[in-house]
Amino acid sequence: VLLSAFARTPSERHSWLGRIYTTAFAIGLMHLVLRWRLLGRVVMRPFFGRSLTATLEEEWRRAVLHCPPSVWAQGLNAGHENVVEGLEKVVCPVSIICGVNDHFCRSAQKVLCEARPDLQVVYLPNIGHVTPWEAPDSIFMIVSDLIYQDHPDAA
């Protein structure tokens, strides 16, 4: 199972949104924005979607503010591994789970689907980029169905 929030392709690094996001962290702009809670909430809303609670907002804000911008930039750049290269070697059933409102990983979703048209793609309505936080029960059901589909005796 690939959760689209974690799937990256080399082209993601070159998307306009990816460049803005990475640059904002690298130069410390995100740190500056998150010092103001209201402005931080505006920036976080598209990323976390409906899963953005006051607790999650504060945890993420503190995580960003307590980590140097250069470390965030290195982490974001390291996340651009080519997940397509080994995809043809995977012989078990694969599902790609995407939030319909995920604006950050659309190119990754497209590339994965083009690389393996046989993949099962599940689009979750009203879900954004952080699929595991926004729809844990839906993900559990999708993964369970995938496992039991291939191994019915496991139930």
Side-chain angles (χ1 to χ4, degrees):
V1 173
L2 292 171
L3 297 172
S4 71
F6 304 107
R8 298 281 191 268
T9 66
S11 63
E12 297 272 354
R13 179 183 296 178
H14 303 293
S15 72
W16 67 271
L17 188 57
R19 279 195 304 250
I20 290 171
Y21 193 69
T22 303
T23 303
F25 269 108
I27 65 173
L29 181 61
M30 195 64 77
H31 286 68
L32 184 63
V33 166
L34 292 178
R35 291 194 187 282
W36 291 279
R37 281 184 169 76
L38 180 61
L39 191 53
R41 190 173 303 123
V42 169
V43 170
M44 286 187 249
R45 180 65 58 194
F47 183 76
F48 288 104
R50 68 185 180 122
S51 67
L52 185 63
T53 62
T55 303
L56 179 58
E57 177 186 331
E58 186 58 24
E59 287 175 7
W60 198 71
R61 194 178 77 75
R62 285 181 184 182
V64 171
L65 293 176
H66 289 89
C67 186
S70 59
V71 174
W72 274 99
Q74 289 172 358
L76 289 168
N77 285 326
H80 294 284
E81 299 167 4
N82 190 349
V83 295
V84 176
E85 286 178 354
L87 199 53
E88 71 277 352
K89 297 176 187 172
V90 177
V91 294
C92 64
V94 177
S95 286
I96 299 175
I97 303 172
C98 312
V100 171
N101 299 327
D102 183 356
H103 303 291
F104 291 94
C105 294
R106 290 186 190 216
S107 62
Q109 296 163 3
K110 182 180 178 189
V111 169
L112 292 169
C113 292
E114 288 171 354
R116 286 278 304 267
D118 62 312
L119 297 178
Q120 173 190 0
V121 182
V122 180
Y123 291 99
L124 300 175
N126 302 318
I127 301 298
H129 178 65
V130 230
T131 316
W133 286 334
E134 294 181 72
D137 295 337
S138 297
I139 291 171
F140 175 79
M141 293 305 297
I142 293 165
V143 172
S144 296
D145 290 347
L146 185 67
I147 291 170
Y148 295 133
Q149 156 193 325
D150 200 40
H151 301 287
D153 55 330

